[in-house]
Amino acid sequence: MRGWEKRSRAGRCLVSILLLGPLFALTGCDFFVAQNNNPPAATAGDFIYVANGGNTFIAGYTVGSNGSLSIVPNSPVNNGVAGLCLAISPANTFLFVGTTNGIYEYAINSDGSLSIGNGGSPVAQDVIATALQVDSTGGYLLAAGLASATQAQGIGIYQINTSNGVLSALGGSPLGLYTGPAASPTVLTPTGLLITPDNAKVYVSLGTLGVQVLTLGPGGALSAGNGATILPPYGKSAGPSDYGLASDPNTKFLFVGEINTGLRVLSIGTNGSLTEVAGSPYTTGAGPVGVTVDSTGAYVYVANKGSSNINAFALNASSGQLTSISGSPFGSGGQLPTAMVNDNTGKYLAVMNSGSNGLNGNNDLQLFSFSASTPGALKAAASATTGTDPTSPQAIAATFPAAK
């Protein structure tokens, strides 16, 4: 037992660093995607979904109890527009897909297959979302990206119709995000989004601008945190830029993957304010763009795009300090790892590789188990391709454990 019942919902939607790459339609394929006409039932299936950036397909996999990966029925599905980010509702009823044409919604069927909702039309188009997450109640979706009207960074705030997955924008949506000094604003694409496990704090990584701190209130109300609204990049290296975000299950610490810095560990204050812990930042491989915490809250993993490996750390739950695990960093099994998720049993770590081809084959998706002899260490379990190259996977999401 890996304690998956305590597992954080952080990082269940992840987006790669190559957010707005070329969008190529895959020719010669015609996949039928069933319509979502009936309210979906919650599923307990152990499914992982990957959206490709090199074509317009979304691939789905079942994780076997032995660590195998098998394609779900009718997969991959052709979304028509390449997915930039993914998010799954906590009851595993809906998969949301952010694209340059808006947000699409699919019902997740009991066998993991997907049924398109809203007649195949986007359920929201006021934000070009590059990071998505559903709050722990399943009632609200946040979408960080570029506001369609202003083309500046913003965050869409939507109420989810739990019967059909249709979104309704709340007042003030999209909320403008930090653009730097007013005299010289910087428009850039948000690189990450995190709603903390306590459902009260929201963090948005903004590359060279740092991390914006917001609070999430009743009814999906979103506002800037009390005074401490921006965590600037570490600033002790050339060109630091913030990407991956994760939290421990108890919302005590925020982990930030920062290019040209490493992994930052910060304690979270009552208003969401952040304080660097002793020993932070920690050294990682090159390009630490993906961060996740395992289901028990005991280990932290960093996907290093620039060095094609994964750092693994043991977390001191009291101080937030990290200790490198023996054997770390671990080879990703492919090229350019950019994002990671835990499967819903907590037994496996799924890594998305954004390179066109991996080592020993086309390892777009690599599955790792956890070592019994060296706690927290990774062991390669399975791999899969997400389609015909160029796939260039952009986003990954996994279903949640069944409610107990």
Side-chain angles (χ1 to χ4, degrees), residues 367-388:
L367 197 67
F368 291 90
S369 62
F370 300 96
S371 171
S373 58
T374 305
L378 299 178
K379 297 175 60 178
S383 63
T385 175
T386 57
T388 303

Side-chain angles (χ1 to χ4, degrees), residues 320-333:
Q321 293 178 312
L322 302 177
T323 303
S324 184
I325 291 171
S326 178
S328 175
F330 300 94
S332 69

Side-chain angles (χ1 to χ4, degrees), residues 241-261:
S241 186
D242 292 326
Y243 280 81
L245 301 171
S247 173
D248 65 297
N250 296 318
T251 314
K252 290 184 63 177
F253 305 105
L254 178 72
F255 305 92
V256 181
E258 190 168 284
I259 289 178
N260 292 326
T261 300

